[in-house]
Every structure is written in C-alpha cells, then in structure tokens.
Amino acid sequence: MTENAGVSATGQQSLYPPPPEFYRLYRDDAEGTAERPLPPLPPQPVEETFQMFGEMHTVEPGIPALQAQSLIHTMANGSIDIKQELLHMNKELLFSFEELLSVLIDQPSSSANRIADIGDLLRQMHHLLNMLRPHQAWATLAQTLQSELRHRQAAATDLQQQVVAAQRCLESCTVKFKDEG
C-alpha cells in the first residue's frame, strides 16, 4: 500500500483506512467466474477447546470462573464493588511489580513466584472487567437510543417549523390572490 492510502486529495485523513486491495479480486454477485471467484467462506466457529498463549481454553457462554484462588472481596449481600476491587488490585499489581524488580536485581533465579502472582492478579482484573461487559453494553445501547431520540426530536421540530412556514406562505398567497381577484 502507499503511504497516503487513507489521505484524500484535500489532505484530510479518513476515519477508517481503505479496504485492502485484494477485495477487488472477488465478485459482489452470486455468480463467480474463474477470473473473479466468490469470496472465501468465513472460518468455522471454534468448538470445545482451543489453545491461546500456551493455555487451553474452552468455549463456554458467559464469564468463565477463576482458576486460581480468588482475591476478590465480596460484600455481605454477595455483591462486589468492582471499582474498589480494581483499584485495590491495581495497587497490589504495582506493588507486586516493584517486588519483582527488586527480586530480579537481587536473585533473578527466584522470580517465578512473583511472575505467577502478577499473572494471577492480571487474570482476576480481567475477570472483573469481563463482569462489567453486560453493563457496558446496556449503557452503550441506552446512550445510542437517547442520541437517536434527540436526533429524531430535532428533525420533528425542524419539520414542524417548515410546516408552519409553508402554511404562513400559503396564507399570504391566498390573501394576496383575494386582494387581486
């Protein structure tokens, strides 16, 4: 690709990059030819288990349970203050990272435990963030719907103003024709 692939003639950069050039190799319609075949089918969904970053994962709906000992504190009613927990874990992560650095300086061979602790903290923070995904989706949907409602109300107000202006114009024309005729 060229350096100016996302820049228009006016020098403005587009929000999204242009599609890759190979999209022209495929047809849009249902009949493919030898020169321009149909695009390839999407890959099949992953079933059961897969390996990522050296660990085996399973495909399960919902939020997976934590494997290690949970560091998350629950309240008496069973709820979790996610913001407080994330702040607490962030401070603990910084402290663990500082300890890892000091261990790496003094005894580099005994750093495996510190690295495992940092990994557990990151997994638990990731778990907490995944617990927020449904709330984030609802908030995004609500914000989108409110924005659309405001846009439609503004359009309806503009349309009503145009109708009123057209009625005034018709009334003035009717008065003008009555005066002349």
Side-chain angles (χ1 to χ4, degrees), residues 170-181:
L170 285 174
E171 288 173 3
S172 67
C173 290
T174 305
V175 169
K176 203 181 267 189
F177 285 133
K178 284 183 182 178
D179 290 343
E180 290 178 6

Side-chain angles (χ1 to χ4, degrees), residues 22-40:
F22 66 83
Y23 84 95
R24 293 188 178 139
L25 298 176
Y26 301 107
R27 297 179 59 93
D28 292 336
D29 56 2
E31 298 89 26
T33 62
E35 305 86 46
R36 294 184 65 198
L38 294 173

Side-chain angles (χ1 to χ4, degrees), residues 36-133:
R36 294 184 65 198
L38 294 173
L41 295 174
Q44 293 296 321
V46 177
E47 295 183 18
E48 308 225 358
T49 62
F50 62 96
Q51 185 175 359
M52 182 173 67
F53 303 122
E55 295 181 6
M56 292 303 290
H57 296 274
T58 59
V59 179
E60 298 174 359
I63 300 171
L66 288 173
Q67 303 296 336
Q69 177 186 2
S70 180
L71 301 174
I72 301 171
H73 302 96
T74 57
M75 295 181 194
N77 60 0
S79 64
I80 300 171
D81 185 6
I82 295 177
K83 182 179 178 182
Q84 284 299 113
E85 288 299 316
L86 284 173
L87 286 172
H88 174 72
M89 285 184 183
N90 189 33
K91 290 176 185 175
E92 194 169 335
L93 180 65
L94 290 173
F95 179 72
S96 296
F97 186 72
E98 185 180 345
E99 283 184 346
L100 173 65
L101 290 177
S102 65
V103 166
L104 284 173
I105 291 170
D106 297 335
Q107 304 166 349
S109 61
S110 63
S111 62
N113 290 340
R114 302 289 184 216
I115 293 173
D117 291 344
I118 289 174
D120 288 342
L121 275 170
L122 289 172
R123 280 185 202 89
Q124 296 208 9
M125 290 175 79
H126 189 262
H127 181 77
L128 282 174
L129 290 173
N130 280 340
M131 290 172 65
L132 288 176
R133 298 282 181 227

